[in-house]
Structure formats: structure tokens, C-alpha cells
Amino acid sequence: IKYRLFSFVSPSLHFSSLSPAIFFQGGGKSLAVDFRPPRSGKEVGPYYDAALNAVHMTLANLTAYFPSIDTNFSVKLSGFAWHQGWNDGCDAQMTAEYEFNLANLIRDLRVDFDAPNLPVSIGVSGMAGYSPGRRTDIVNAQFAVANRTKYPEFAGNVASVETRNYLREPKPHSPSDFDYHWNNNAESLWLVGEAMGKAMVEMVLREERRDARGTAAFS
């Protein structure tokens, strides 16, 4: 039996209905500082290390979390999902280096997880809608890393999904007016998770089909 696990950084709900997931959430955190990956230079973000440790600890203790699990099982970390960006968009310098840091985050996570082609699903930071300015700059940076011409190494294994059309009106139409939390609108969060999950499933299935063809070629 193979259990597929995804490490996921997001409040979205629907993603986890598609497969077991390891969630790591840190509200009010930036990629430039808190999740800063090693190859971006400067000090590695404490939440980068904390996320890695959380995933490794979970994988090492699966039987503690799932006592009834078949002991004859294998585990594959099949994907990483990322939905973040608000805090970086609050600062001009963080916004300017977001694409650089996000590309490095993907590269470093693949090394640390020993998964060279680990699929990555990015839900763009669309909670400000289509408003111009730094919020749109963050979204553009998130779309850029999935551009196969600009980043050939990510072709077919990094997907950025549009989310801005999932924004709903604030109070009284939503539970709050906290735009950085999608106004706490459950529909918005559900749709973001669904879009990210579908993109992930598509990448994982594509990888499995490719692996199957490779195995057949050498059998």
C-alpha cells in the first residue's frame, strides 16, 4: 500500500479532501524573512527550518498518528503546495525579490526533501483582487515561476493557479473585512484549495504516467 502525502502551507480546506496532507501554517509571515530559503543568501528563515522539521517528524512518526495503518506500507512525498504572499506585498523590497525567493524555495525544498522533481502547486496571492500595485506584482511573480520558458527546470512540475476571481465582498457579505484572510469567506478558501488541488493532482498523475512509461521501457 502506498500512502501519498502532500506538505501544504495554506488555510484552504478543499485541497486536503483530495489526499492526506501535512499542513504547516504560519500567519503573518514573509518569504523574504520568515521562510527565506538557503540559496537566497542572508539568514535562513526560521519557518523554513520549522516546516522541514515538521514534515520530517510527521513522516518519521506515521504509526503514532495512524495506529491502524498497515505496517507494510511505503510513503511518498508527492507534492508541495504554497499559498502565501500578503506580507511580502507590504514591502517594496520584499515584493521586488519575491520571484527570486520563490524559485529558490522550490529548489531548496526539492533538495531537502530529496525529491528533484517534486510537484509544486502555487495558489497566487489573489486576496486583493485585481487591484494594481504591489499585490499584483506578487501575483505576477508567482505566475512567473511557472513560466516554462523562463524556468525550464520547472516545466510540467510547477503550476501557479489564478485565485483573484475567488475574492468575495467583505462584511456584511463575508464574515469579516480581513482582506489578507480572504475576508474569512469559506467559499473563497474552498475554491482556492480546489484549484490548487486539481493542479497538484494533474501534475502528480502526469509524473506517474511518465514513470510508468520509463519502467515499461526497461522491463
Side-chain angles (χ1 to χ4, degrees):
I1 299 174
K2 180 175 71 174
Y3 293 88
R4 177 179 296 138
L5 294 172
F6 295 93
S7 53
F8 189 37
V9 187
S10 177
S12 302
L13 303 174
H14 196 11
F15 186 98
S16 61
S17 69
L18 300 171
S19 183
I22 301 172
F23 288 86
F24 185 87
Q25 302 183 33
K29 301 297 181 289
S30 70
L31 175 58
V33 176
D34 302 294
F35 283 99
R36 191 175 189 85
R39 71 182 67 200
S40 283
K42 302 180 182 177
E43 185 176 354
V44 175
Y47 278 77
Y48 178 87
D49 288 332
L52 283 180
N53 291 337
V55 172
H56 288 309
M57 182 182 69
T58 301
L59 293 177
N61 292 280
L62 284 177
T63 53
Y65 301 121
F66 304 100
S68 62
I69 200 170
D70 188 334
T71 55
N72 211 7
F73 70 94
S74 63
V75 174
K76 178 182 179 182
L77 187 64
S78 293
F80 180 85
W82 180 257
H83 182 52
Q84 180 276 343
W86 181 271
N87 277 65
D88 293 87
C90 294
D91 180 270
Q93 182 57 41
M94 289 184 180
T95 299
E97 66 176 69
Y98 193 89
E99 179 183 336
F100 170 77
N101 288 329
L102 185 55
N104 285 338
L105 177 73
I106 295 169
R107 296 176 181 123
D108 283 331
L109 286 173
R110 286 175 168 178
V111 170
D112 288 328
F113 288 141
D114 192 24
N117 296 308
L118 183 72
V120 176
S121 177
I122 301 164
V124 302
S125 188
M127 59 283 288
Y130 290 90
S131 302
R134 289 200 298 268
R135 301 297 168 200
T136 294
D137 293 341
I138 292 290
V139 170
N140 290 340
Q142 291 166 332
F143 275 124
V145 296
N147 184 319
R148 61 180 60 216
T149 300
K150 194 169 188 180
Y151 295 94
E153 66 193 288
F154 298 157
N157 53 52
V158 174
S160 296
V161 298
E162 181 63 84
T163 65
R164 287 172 288 188
N165 48 322
Y166 302 143
L167 179 65
R168 300 295 181 256
E169 293 293 322
K171 290 175 68 174
H173 305 286
S174 295
S176 79
D177 56 2
F178 302 152
D179 45 4
Y180 47 87
H181 285 315
W182 290 95
N183 298 319
N184 294 112
N185 187 291
E187 181 187 24
S188 296
L189 297 173
W190 184 265
L191 291 172
V192 171
E194 181 179 49
M196 295 176 68
K198 286 181 176 179
M200 179 66 76
V201 169
E202 182 178 336
M203 287 187 289
V204 170
L205 292 179
R206 185 188 305 125
E207 181 184 31
E208 290 183 349
R209 287 193 296 267
R210 185 177 61 247
D211 290 345
R213 288 196 298 269
T215 300
F218 287 98
S219 61

